[in-house]
């Protein structure tokens, strides 16, 4: 069978286009739930940090942002996840400079700015705590990201716990929401997925 030069060039053009389309359609093999393009969750936030400075997603452009919900009196899941994220930063080495972990407290009544600063700083000096200024801000941020939270009474009025969604949200360096990450999953899934987003 004879092929003309023009025919071969046209065929090669189609083959190259097919490869490009396949590459565009392929998604990274994330360990956590890929929610890229999902519009059911918030796309930004505006909350004061523990120093009182209002922070938005735009403040961290160029970085992968891990938005974590928890509280300082949490007995298990919150400190475990923060410890895992701190170990993840160590494993990422220099790439850790391009990752920002943000903890949003669901218990601003007890989590005062000094307490939050000390708490997140104990895990990593690079971690930042966000504290809703009032109930309206707490309701908005949790509603935007579909985070459940509820106070569970203890033996005394101040001795309560907070039930809350045990998950984090991960934005890529362009500020797009990409992942829904389970808390307490271990270090390796974090390292794997954050490296994919940083590449």
């Amino acid at each position: 069978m004879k092929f003309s030069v023009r025919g071969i060039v046209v065929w090669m053009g189609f083959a190259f286009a097919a490869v490009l389309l396949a590459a565009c359609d392929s998604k990274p093999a994330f360990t956590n739930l890929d929610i890229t393009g999902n519009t059911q969750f918030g796309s930004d936030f505006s909350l004061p940090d523990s120093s009182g400075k209002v922070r938005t997603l735009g403040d961290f452009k160029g970085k992968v942002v891990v938005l974590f919900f928890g509280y300082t009196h949490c007995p298990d899941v919150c400190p475990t996840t923060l410890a895992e994220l701190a170990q993840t930063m160590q494993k990422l080495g220099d790439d850790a400079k391009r990752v920002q972990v943000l903890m949003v407290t669901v218990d601003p009544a007890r989590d005062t700015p000094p307490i939050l600063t000390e708490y997140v700083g104990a895990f990593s000096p690079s971690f930042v705590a966000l504290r809703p200024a009032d109930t309206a801000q707490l309701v908005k941020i949790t509603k935007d990201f579909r985070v459940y939270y509820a106070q569970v009474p203890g033996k005394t009025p101040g001795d309560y716990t907070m039930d809350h969604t045990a998950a984090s949200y991960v934005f890529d360096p362009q500020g797009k929401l990409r992942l829904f990450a389970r808390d307490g999953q271990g270090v390796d899934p974090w390292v794997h997925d954050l490296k994919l987003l940083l590449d």
Side-chain angles (χ1 to χ4, degrees):
M1 183 181 291
K2 289 181 68 178
F3 292 98
S4 68
V5 172
R6 183 169 182 267
I8 292 173
V9 170
V10 169
W11 179 85
M12 288 177 66
F14 279 123
F16 182 66
V19 169
L20 284 178
L21 285 171
C24 290
D25 288 342
S26 64
K27 292 184 177 181
F30 292 118
T31 303
N32 288 286
L33 183 62
D34 187 344
I35 55 173
T36 303
N38 192 315
T39 58
Q40 296 181 20
F41 301 97
S43 58
D44 204 346
F45 52 84
S46 179
L47 292 172
D49 64 19
S50 56
S51 71
K53 180 180 179 181
V54 175
R55 301 293 196 129
T56 67
L57 191 59
D59 293 331
F60 309 102
K61 192 170 183 179
K63 292 186 175 185
V64 169
V65 173
V66 178
L67 190 66
F68 164 75
F69 291 82
Y71 69 113
T72 64
H73 288 72
C74 182
D76 40 37
V77 175
C78 300
T80 298
T81 298
L82 286 171
E84 289 173 355
L85 286 167
Q87 292 174 50
T88 299
M89 298 302 106
Q90 292 176 351
K91 285 200 169 188
L92 288 175
D94 285 342
D95 282 341
K97 297 174 184 175
R98 298 166 54 209
V99 178
Q100 181 61 62
V101 174
L102 303 173
M103 174 183 160
V104 181
T105 178
V106 294
D107 186 20
R110 288 186 299 187
D111 288 347
T112 63
I115 288 173
L116 279 170
T117 300
E118 183 178 358
Y119 184 76
V120 298
F123 294 97
S124 171
S126 70
F127 291 1
V128 173
L130 301 178
R131 180 178 182 267
D134 51 36
T135 302
Q137 280 195 344
L138 178 58
V139 169
K140 182 177 182 346
I141 186 71
T142 52
K143 184 178 180 181
D144 285 351
F145 287 93
R146 296 178 173 267
V147 170
Y148 167 82
Y149 72 97
Q151 189 179 115
V152 180
K155 294 179 180 179
T156 62
D159 181 32
Y160 59 85
T161 56
M162 298 291 294
D163 279 351
H164 63 91
T165 301
S168 303
Y169 298 87
V170 185
F171 296 82
D172 67 20
Q174 289 73 46
K176 293 180 180 177
L177 183 60
R178 301 295 301 276
L179 300 175
F180 179 85
R182 302 179 317 278
D183 287 350
Q185 62 178 295
V187 175
D188 290 342
W190 277 116
V191 173
H192 176 270
D193 287 359
L194 294 184
K195 279 186 174 180
L196 284 178
L197 290 175
L198 288 167
D199 285 344

